[in-house]
Amino acid sequence: MRDDTRTITTLRSDGLEVPDLRVVITPQKSPPIEATLGVAPLVIGTSAECDVVVPDSRVSRRHCQLRLTPRGIVLTDLGSKNGTFVNDVLINEAFLTPSAIASLGGVSLTVRVAGAPVLVPLSTSASFGEALGGSVPMRALFARLERAAATSETILLLGESGTGKEVLAHAIHDTSPRTSGPFVVFDCSAVAPNLIEAELFGYTKGAFTGAQAARAGLLEQASGGTLFLDEIGELPLELQPKLLRALEARQIRRLGAAAYTSFDARIVAATHRDLQGRIASGAFREDLYYRLAVVEAIVPPLRERKEDIPLLVERFLAAQVPPRSLDDLPPNALELLRGHHWPGNVRELRNTVARLVLFPHLAEQAIVRVAPRVDDNMGVGPLAALTLREARDMVVEQFERNFITMKLRDHGGNVARAAASMGVSRQLVHRLMERYGIRSKG
């Protein structure tokens, strides 16, 4: 009888013992692709959003997922066009042993044990600041960030939009020796490229038209505390060497100034972009990446930690006015929530819970992102049970989803033309499409 114990995770008092596994995918017309399977699941497909990208037309955009469980490796088909097979048997979900050969539309996949098991430390807590998660991926993330927070090292958070990267950055600040200092946020995607340098480095009086007084940049303003650089992947290429130089020297020079000024801010950066891909395309500097990724942490999407949904829902319900509990949800609501894919992650879950409170009789529509209409005839009465942020998010979400869908339809699904008609960048439209689960039909 075959011994597959080396592919089983073991929970110990000091962490999770994880086998050292390598996934090998062999396309017919390109070299083999190898990836490590650890605590986080691996999504395999042709889309650049997948963890492992397979350049083969027989493989679907999101073809299948591999994940470790206490019982072994589980391979799940994600609704692929050509199917997923294990030893020539078509499967929806199956355990995959190291001797088994899986086939993704004709592309072979195997898993091999590369070495001795490794111990992944797990936090003893189901929270880190305001971030919640009792699942193994989140407890592993919390343990990594708890250790990093005690230092002054730069941290890079990678993860999809809506996973809570800013919440984690705030928790890092709050649990660090810099907690009494300022926590400053800068979104690199929300400021015009020609203004980013002045925002980060500051300027002197008269440095440019409109500079009527000197102003410290955010790196200076965050001295003694933490500067959170959100969406660092959107930082213009021409500014990246200037940021790298500032981080290396811990000095900045304001626009229009001759002298350098020291600063003492801890940097936490985040992005939903594939930075390795942007480095390969020349859109992001490799030296800046390594300077930011002294500690790199991947924030798992909500679909990979669905066991955390009840905990998160309880938090969102308790924040309602008046506070509510799981008993106030419509029947089977939790089952519906667990069954959703959550492209908008925790942000989408929060807004969905707000809709469920408002429209309990429309539970299924609220969860599958067919938002009940909020219009002028309805007034603000039904929104009164929400906080201002929740009510505003709900109305803005519906408007943005409907508006973008309309513009994409008007332009045959062409994102570039739709963005031009809206007067915004393609990058912003792609981010909103990702947030709201909108697909181009062109």
Side-chain angles (χ1 to χ4, degrees), residues 117-128:
V118 295
L119 185 66
V120 177
L122 298 180
S123 174
T124 57
S125 175
S127 65
F128 179 57

Side-chain angles (χ1 to χ4, degrees), residues 63 109 177 192 247 317 331 341 370 413 423 430 439:
H63 196 105
L109 179 154
L247 297 182
L317 288 170
H341 182 62
V370 182
H430 278 298
R439 291 188 177 183

Side-chain angles (χ1 to χ4, degrees), residues 77-117:
D77 184 84
L78 298 178
S80 66
K81 181 179 179 180
N82 293 322
T84 301
F85 296 78
V86 175
N87 292 337
D88 297 325
V89 177
L90 180 66
I91 61 102
N92 286 322
E93 186 169 272
F95 284 98
L96 190 66
T97 63
S99 60
I101 300 176
S103 175
L104 322 178
V107 175
S108 68
L109 179 154
T110 58
V111 178
R112 63 180 176 85
V113 178

Side-chain angles (χ1 to χ4, degrees), residues 17 178 326 365 442:
E17 190 177 87
R178 296 172 174 265
L326 291 175
Q365 295 95 315

